[in-house]
Amino acid sequence: MPNADELLVSIAAVVESEPSNQMSLTVVAGGAVITGRLAPEAMWRERVAEVLRSSDRLGPFSGVFTGHREEGRPDREEAPTHLHFHLARILQGSLGIPETGGMYRVAIRDVSAWTVGDLSYFEQ
């Protein structure tokens, strides 16, 4: 993976190897600040599928997230290429969007800065 931060790839690999979603991380990607907890990809995919299944209009898309291994998708032995956030917010000024937290997938190669921890924001 060219231009990927090796330390960030290592963090993502540990998240993938542990059945935990307690690692908080804040990243800058494409100019956006995203803060939240990392989750293993399988857990993230299942949660997104659950949300989609509960929708009358979006239910048919849930299978995309729970389907078989996609062509070209790396095997578990290969280094992770994406970070999978849940309970995440995009920070804009003092506002976190969405307020309840969302599910975001960020390509590691697109991360220009990061820090361990979840940034807080305050409503004025």
Side-chain angles (χ1 to χ4, degrees):
M1 180 184 333
N3 301 323
D5 183 314
E6 294 295 326
L7 189 53
L8 194 53
V9 170
S10 295
I11 290 170
V14 171
V15 169
E16 287 298 322
S17 69
E18 300 290 328
S20 171
N21 56 8
Q22 300 304 308
M23 178 62 175
S24 293
L25 196 72
T26 299
V27 300
V28 177
V33 177
I34 302 170
T35 189
R37 288 188 187 161
L38 294 177
E41 182 179 0
M43 181 185 296
W44 182 87
R45 283 175 172 264
E46 184 53 41
R47 180 64 184 121
V48 171
E50 287 173 13
V51 170
L52 292 174
R53 274 193 297 269
S54 69
S55 169
D56 291 335
R57 294 178 317 172
L58 301 175
F61 293 96
S62 66
V64 171
F65 292 90
T66 59
H68 300 292
R69 190 173 95 78
E70 301 166 20
E71 267 316 300
R73 186 169 158 219
D75 291 326
R76 287 289 162 215
E77 295 82 38
E78 293 185 28
T81 58
H82 290 77
L83 301 170
H84 296 86
F85 285 90
H86 76 114
L87 300 175
R89 293 172 185 84
I90 296 175
L91 300 182
Q92 178 66 41
S94 62
L95 181 64
I97 306 168
E99 288 181 17
T100 57
M103 308 288 285
Y104 296 100
R105 176 177 160 116
V106 177
I108 294 172
R109 71 175 175 269
D110 293 339
V111 173
S112 59
W114 61 274
T115 188
V116 172
D118 195 357
L119 291 183
S120 297
Y121 63 95
F122 301 97
E123 291 188 26
Q124 305 278 336

